[in-house]
Amino acid sequence: MAEADFTTRFGAVYEDSPWVADAVWAHAAELTTAEAIAAAMAEVVDTASYERKLALIRAHPQLASRARMADASVREQSGAGLDQCSPEEFAAFQRLNAAYNDRFGFPFIVAVKGMSRADILAAFEQRLANDPATEFETAIAQIHRIARFRLGDLFKDPS
């Protein structure tokens, strides 16, 4: 697969960060499964500078936001019902988004697949108690989890 084709196909696996796919492309011929690509991409992120990781975290949209976001994020949040929040739930998400961003300086990241709105709100509340270093690493771990889900979807739909 040509580099441009690889980046087109896998560049959105890590939210608005095609640099991850670009770094893996040189080994693409050896990476024949979603798991292999996921591991290679995770290694690229894990060995990146703190600043680059922070930019990756900040590339993610806030949950239950009405801001424009990547198609994959729209599908994922919709799948968790975040597009169907009651006014009270929407207000809770807005309050927690603001508190989280004020505390950590980046948006709350969680792989929402398989979670309910109540699960996500509970995770928000729980993780607000984390120290900044723990939460930074938790956000990166959740981003890797999101990437694995997205890669799995890409391998199911090879178009």
Side-chain angles (χ1 to χ4, degrees), residues 118-156:
D119 294 336
I120 297 165
L121 287 168
F124 239 131
E125 295 279 0
Q126 178 187 31
R127 286 177 46 195
L128 268 166
N130 283 345
D131 65 88
T134 298
E135 193 53 29
F136 186 90
E137 292 306 318
T138 301
I140 293 294
Q142 288 295 310
I143 289 170
H144 289 322
R145 186 174 156 92
I146 293 164
R148 285 192 302 276
F149 286 139
R150 289 178 179 178
L151 282 165
D153 290 345
L154 282 173
F155 273 74
K156 287 177 195 167

Side-chain angles (χ1 to χ4, degrees), residues 6-132:
F6 187 86
T7 301
T8 296
R9 182 163 169 81
F10 298 108
V13 168
Y14 280 83
E15 191 87 15
D16 198 25
S17 301
W19 59 269
V20 179
D22 290 341
V24 170
W25 178 77
H27 306 286
E30 306 156 27
L31 306 172
T32 58
T33 65
E35 295 81 15
I37 294 174
M41 290 179 132
E43 183 177 350
V44 167
V45 170
D46 290 344
T47 59
S49 68
Y50 174 86
E51 292 77 18
R52 201 140 207 210
K53 289 178 191 175
L54 181 59
L56 171 62
I57 293 170
R58 288 180 173 161
H60 283 260
Q62 289 189 346
L63 294 178
S65 169
R66 295 197 171 120
R68 178 158 164 36
M69 61 183 83
D71 291 343
S73 290
V74 171
R75 283 189 304 275
E76 291 155 1
Q77 290 197 29
S78 177
L82 295 182
D83 59 340
Q84 300 168 14
C85 288
S86 69
E88 296 79 17
E89 288 170 326
F90 185 74
F93 273 106
Q94 297 313 302
R95 178 183 53 79
L96 289 166
N97 277 324
Y100 186 94
N101 207 356
D102 287 348
R103 176 155 167 71
F104 299 111
F106 51 82
F108 177 75
I109 311 289
V110 67
V112 297
K113 189 171 189 172
M115 297 179 79
S116 69
R117 291 186 302 274
D119 294 336
I120 297 165
L121 287 168
F124 239 131
E125 295 279 0
Q126 178 187 31
R127 286 177 46 195
L128 268 166
N130 283 345
D131 65 88

